Amino acid sequence: MAGAAVAMVVSSVVETAVTDWALTAVVGGEFLFTSGLAVELVAGAAGLMAGGLVASALAPDAETPKINSAATQAAQGALVNVSSNVEPLPVIYGSRIVGGSRVFAAASGSSNEFFHVVLVLGEGEIESIDEIYLDGNAVGALDANGVATSGTYSGVVRVKKYLGSDEQLADPDLMAEIPDWTSSCRLRGVAYIYVRLTYNKDAFHGLPVITAAVKGRKLYDPRTGLTAFSSNPSLMIRDYLTNSRYGRGVAESSIDDATFIAAANSCDAPVALGSYSGPKYVSNGVVNVDSSAFDNLKTMLTSCRGMLIYSGGLFKLRLEEALSSTFDFTEDNITGGWKFGGPQKRALYNRAKLRFYDELNRYQPQILPFINNTYTALDGGNPSELALELPFTSKMEIANYIGIQEVRQSRFGLTASFTALPEGLRTEVGDVVTITHSTPGWINKPFRVLQMSPKSSDEVEVVVREYDPSVYVFDFATPSRSTLVTNLPNPTAQPAAPGVPAIAEVQYQTTGSAGVKVKAVVSWASADAPFIVGYQLQWKLTSDTDWQSTDTPATSYELFDLAPNRWDFRISAINALGKSSDWAGRTNVEILGLTAAPADVANLTIVASNGTALGQWDLSPDLDVRIGGRTVLRWTPMTTGAHWENGIPVGEFNGDATSGQLPMLTGTYMAKFKDSTGNWSTGIASWVLTAGTLTALPNSQTLTENTTWAGSKSGLVVVGSSLQLDGSVPIDSMAALVDAWGMLDSLGGVNSAGTYDFAAVMDFGTVGTRRFTANIQALAFDTGDFIDFRGPVDDWDSVDGLAINDATVTLLAALSPDGVAYSAWFPFMAGDFTCRAAKFRLLYESAQPTHNVGVSQLSVTANW
């Protein structure tokens, strides 16, 4: 594979194939074999569509890991004693209680009252051997000679500890008492304990199982350059890869330490998971060196949801965690070859059964179950369980967090493959990318890269799987350990009520043609009462008397498509005997739905560029703006005190856009979002562009229309010095009383449209290129907004009245090469045009009969 950029991934949760450590490859097939590790990666349409699941580090297989796996047996076996001197020497990482192999046993004393045991624990050098247990009972404190000093074992147990350095010597006490144990019995590089038991019928009932609390291997940390004890999963995986004694002996030059450092830092990041506070991932386990290297690595990766990647001749470690996109795949770099797949139904999990090794229970295996009720409801109540083995996880909260992520990840199983230009190699396996392409209809849809395979055409085949950052959010209640009590509660008593429900509105994108909708997420604190088996949630319109109802075992529920209105909610706890608590409720909760105003435009900037202006702003946080909405920009020549109602439309862009070209004008640019149902953001973002930004030209000619308004008018009227839409009904047609007419200039409501043609044209006599710039000062207003009609002041949205978003003016231009024939009208605010003559028209538009717009200044200047 010299010169080929092959990328593959080894993970903790996928069935894999293992081969010899050879440098070979099968191009175009389903297997990529690389130096030392092999993983079955799906390549081609057959692989992508078979079963609808891409086999990768990031998509758990429905049937793996299995409960009785070799890793599980090794973890359980670490707690027992085996009599053998040919057992594989395990590698202890992190902190564990381990048994070991009895490699030597002998009796001594005049009546064989002393029994000597040498118990090998694992590879050295380890950090420490701490407490010693006999049949699970702690030996306790030891004196300087290793003799127990208190309790049952006082004076009858002696323990000598050896950490497994290459320089350690044979135990002198054992040599003195057992001639067969000579000075050559050093067990260099082996961590072990020597235990002498003195016969005592009260202390011992047969040969006890001996275990030891151990802090395991010292690990090299590339962050510090030091070798010391650590429970960091990244450092363990690196150690196993590079160690030539028990690991794979990978050269240091083949390790991408930058990725291992990043993974180590991520593992060490502090988190609060229920009652646990500490590093996000901690690894404590025992490696069986008789297992395949691939199985051992896969097992270690479970402790941090890691991905071991071999790419470009380097081993890299990535954690599956929330990331930002590193590359955008678009129609500019995707050449085709689309194939799509989705998860099998059996791989959509709604619950999990996690086996971990509980450090609070002396590393005994524990089963931790949990159920996601939302997913169960989506699956029609049918259980689909993930059985997940976590041999290197010893903290219940971390095990729960890993299981939650795996279950969530199973719900995002959409996969795709496509062919891309070589620039696609700027990303690599494990990266998060976005895809915008018309074939699947995706716009900035995030995916994680599973595979990169170069093709003979110099293109690259990319396999991706759907990515969603919500997978990594810890918002499930951490389970707690139950304790025995002597005073049992009374199940016949009325249970305590749950917490008062909280209601949050969340937008979501439908899969059909319905677009964006809103759901109400109702959540509450669990009832502080025993025997609670579920809750009854009820809701109704505040104005109604009848409640709607549902039962759920969870402490949250999603209500889809509630109509915008005021609603009441209440929740009751139900115990195992069917007794209900009092209601906990909230009334008169306003549900806005899609009528809610979108967030304001943020970080608007306008930059002059080659005679035009480039507007830039932040992406809207509202889904119904990004999908089907618009970003609207207006301009006014005012540089201070500008309001939206003063603005003239100068640009309108798709709601998912973050930039656009605008005419370059002196004054204030303003921006608002408009969502898919026509709601406008309430505030404006503004940017002032000064005259110093524009390029000065020596010659000019100006047409000024305001004051006299001598041009041709249609549907317009001059009021004072302002040109505005005329009323739509003559006085003779008004049937109501004069007191109810409103403004005389807008009787019956204003016209919906009108035009004003400039009194003169600009005729320069010769054809030439000139810069045309408009100056318009306008004000939109509501002719029906009278203080007398507003009601109490406390109910006013604004002293200035409601914002007017739908009454605007647009300047049109038409050009002529000869002063006779003119082009069609087109919108214009600023631009460079080649012509002999130009004429101008102002177009008025209003969507409401009481919304008008008045223009007090109107001129066009040509510069050349």
Side-chain angles (χ1 to χ4, degrees), residues 458-478:
D458 287 336
E459 297 173 315
V460 59
E461 184 172 8
V462 184
V463 179
V464 296
R465 194 212 54 212
E466 189 176 13
Y467 165 86
D468 192 293
S470 67
V471 169
Y472 314 100
V473 177
F474 191 89
D475 57 4
F476 282 57
T478 301

Side-chain angles (χ1 to χ4, degrees), residues 57 203 479 673 705:
F673 287 132
E705 297 297 306

Side-chain angles (χ1 to χ4, degrees), residues 3-35:
V6 176
M8 48 144 260
V9 62
V10 178
S11 98
S12 57
V13 287
V14 60
E15 284 296 319
T16 58
V18 180
T19 65
D20 294 332
W21 289 69
L23 188 63
T24 58
V26 179
V27 178
E30 293 191 2
F31 292 85
L32 288 174
F33 304 107
T34 60
S35 179

Side-chain angles (χ1 to χ4, degrees), residues 76-395:
Q76 292 173 329
L79 295 170
V80 300
N81 297 151
V82 177
S83 293
S84 173
N85 55 11
V86 294
E87 282 293 305
L89 195 59
V91 180
I92 304 168
Y93 284 126
S95 298
R96 285 299 292 259
I97 294 178
V98 297
S101 299
R102 289 191 296 267
V103 298
F104 181 82
S108 70
S110 58
S111 58
N112 291 330
E113 67 270 25
F114 301 117
F115 188 73
H116 308 264
V117 177
V118 174
L119 199 67
V120 168
L121 303 177
E123 283 279 354
E125 183 176 11
I126 63 175
E127 174 70 9
S128 66
I129 301 172
D130 301 318
E131 185 62 70
I132 305 298
Y133 300 92
L134 303 183
D135 288 335
N137 301 309
V139 171
L142 306 175
D143 66 15
N145 295 318
V147 178
T149 58
S150 62
T152 302
Y153 302 121
S154 178
V156 299
V157 175
R158 184 179 68 191
V159 180
K160 307 292 285 294
K161 304 173 183 179
Y162 291 87
L163 303 182
S165 74
D166 289 339
E167 293 76 32
Q168 68 190 11
L169 302 176
D171 183 82
D173 292 335
L174 184 54
M175 286 192 294
E177 297 185 50
I178 303 296
D180 289 340
W181 195 263
T182 68
S183 61
S184 62
C185 299
R186 300 171 60 179
L187 299 186
R188 289 182 292 178
V190 176
Y192 73 96
I193 56 175
Y194 156 49
V195 179
R196 191 190 74 174
L197 307 175
T198 302
Y199 174 74
N200 184 297
K201 63 182 180 64
D202 296 322
F204 308 113
H205 304 280
L207 181 63
V209 174
I210 305 172
T211 54
V214 170
K215 288 185 177 178
R217 285 281 303 171
K218 297 181 179 181
L219 307 176
Y220 173 76
D221 189 339
R223 295 175 295 181
T224 63
L226 303 177
T227 299
F229 171 77
S230 175
S231 292
N232 188 293
S234 174
L235 305 185
M236 293 180 189
I237 294 166
R238 186 188 186 281
D239 178 78
Y240 185 80
L241 281 173
T242 58
N243 193 283
S244 58
R245 177 182 291 176
Y246 52 78
R248 303 319 305 160
V250 174
E252 294 279 345
S253 59
S254 295
I255 301 294
D256 185 348
D257 269 336
T259 64
F260 280 80
I261 288 172
N265 289 335
S266 183
C267 290
D268 282 344
V271 295
L273 305 178
S275 60
Y276 167 74
S277 296
K280 181 166 63 178
Y281 292 121
V282 175
S283 186
N284 299 300
V286 179
V287 172
N288 182 352
V289 295
D290 269 5
S291 296
S292 69
F294 193 86
D295 283 344
N296 285 334
L297 284 166
K298 185 172 65 173
T299 301
M300 285 187 277
L301 289 164
T302 63
S303 65
C304 60
R305 300 195 79 233
M307 301 170 286
L308 185 60
I309 302 164
Y310 186 74
S311 176
L314 295 175
F315 286 94
K316 305 177 181 182
L317 180 62
R318 303 286 293 275
L319 304 189
E320 190 184 3
E321 55 190 355
L323 297 173
S324 300
S325 173
T326 60
F327 188 80
D328 298 320
F329 283 104
T330 67
E331 297 190 39
D332 293 335
N333 50 46
I334 296 176
T335 59
W338 285 98
K339 304 177 187 69
F340 303 95
Q344 292 179 332
K345 185 177 180 180
R346 66 193 179 107
L348 293 173
Y349 301 114
N350 51 47
R351 62 192 63 200
K353 182 167 61 179
L354 314 171
R355 189 195 295 266
F356 72 106
Y357 291 78
D358 193 355
E359 67 184 27
L360 298 184
N361 194 24
R362 296 188 180 177
Y363 298 93
Q364 293 290 332
Q366 300 286 328
I367 296 296
L368 176 64
F370 73 86
I371 300 173
N372 185 311
N373 294 291
T374 300
Y375 293 163
T376 302
L378 291 174
D379 297 338
N382 298 316
S384 178
E385 185 175 85
L386 168 66
L388 190 60
E389 293 288 338
L390 301 171
F392 276 69
T393 299
S394 60
K395 294 183 182 296

Side-chain angles (χ1 to χ4, degrees), residues 451-749:
Q451 181 182 352
M452 306 283 290
S453 302
K455 303 179 70 172
S456 59
S457 61
D458 287 336
E459 297 173 315
V460 59
E461 184 172 8
V462 184
V463 179
V464 296
R465 194 212 54 212
E466 189 176 13
Y467 165 86
D468 192 293
S470 67
V471 169
Y472 314 100
V473 177
F474 191 89
D475 57 4
F476 282 57
T478 301
S480 59
R481 295 175 176 82
S482 60
T483 57
L484 294 176
V485 294
T486 55
N487 297 316
L488 296 177
N490 180 9
T492 64
Q494 184 185 32
V500 175
I503 294 87
E505 293 188 61
V506 179
Q507 293 180 348
Y508 67 97
Q509 183 178 3
T510 61
T511 56
S513 58
V516 176
K517 290 190 174 183
V518 172
K519 60 185 176 183
V521 180
V522 186
S523 60
W524 55 92
S526 58
D528 184 15
F531 312 118
I532 298 298
V533 295
Y535 301 89
Q536 184 177 52
L537 171 66
Q538 293 189 343
W539 65 98
K540 69 175 183 67
L541 287 170
T542 300
S543 58
D544 286 351
T545 57
D546 296 331
W547 293 88
Q548 300 179 63
S549 180
T550 189
D551 293 335
T552 176
T555 56
S556 65
Y557 195 81
E558 295 179 346
L559 297 172
F560 292 86
D561 299 334
L562 286 184
N565 212 315
R566 293 191 174 272
W567 293 79
D568 298 342
F569 302 87
R570 65 185 187 183
I571 187 74
S572 173
I574 303 171
N575 70 10
L577 294 183
K579 289 188 173 292
S580 299
S581 72
D582 292 332
W583 293 103
R586 293 186 62 195
T587 60
N588 205 31
V589 177
E590 185 176 16
I591 299 295
L592 295 173
L594 293 179
T595 66
D600 295 339
V601 176
N603 295 323
L604 175 69
T605 59
I606 308 294
V607 179
S609 176
N610 297 324
T612 63
L614 176 64
Q616 294 178 303
W617 53 91
D618 288 351
L619 183 68
S620 171
D622 296 294
L623 191 61
D624 58 346
V625 172
R626 301 196 301 269
I627 301 176
R630 307 289 284 173
T631 304
V632 179
L633 284 98
R634 290 185 177 184
W635 167 88
T636 175
M638 302 168 65
T639 56
T640 59
H643 295 280
W644 184 250
E645 289 75 18
N646 301 125
I648 308 300
V650 291
E652 186 170 327
F653 308 94
N654 288 338
D656 60 351
T658 57
S659 64
Q661 275 200 326
L662 303 165
M664 188 167 67
L665 300 162
T666 298
T668 302
Y669 292 82
M670 299 170 287
K672 278 190 176 188
F673 287 132
K674 180 182 179 183
D675 68 23
S676 59
T677 54
N679 302 306
W680 292 76
S681 51
T682 54
I684 63 169
S686 62
W687 183 273
V688 176
L689 197 64
T690 62
T693 308
L694 308 178
T695 302
L697 296 172
N699 302 307
S700 66
Q701 180 178 335
T702 300
L703 291 179
T704 301
E705 297 297 306
N706 50 281
T707 306
T708 61
W709 302 111
S712 175
K713 309 173 191 67
S714 174
L716 304 177
V717 63
V718 177
V719 178
S721 61
S722 174
L723 181 64
Q724 61 190 47
L725 288 165
D726 199 357
S728 61
V729 178
I731 289 178
D732 293 344
S733 301
M734 294 297 294
L737 299 175
V738 173
D739 290 343
W741 282 8
M743 294 181 64
L744 291 176
D745 298 317
S746 55
L747 288 178

Side-chain angles (χ1 to χ4, degrees), residues 696-702 762 764 768-771 861-864:
L697 296 172
N699 302 307
S700 66
Q701 180 178 335
T702 300
M762 280 189 177
F764 304 97
T769 300
R770 301 165 180 89
R771 175 164 298 167
T861 299
N863 295 94
W864 66 95

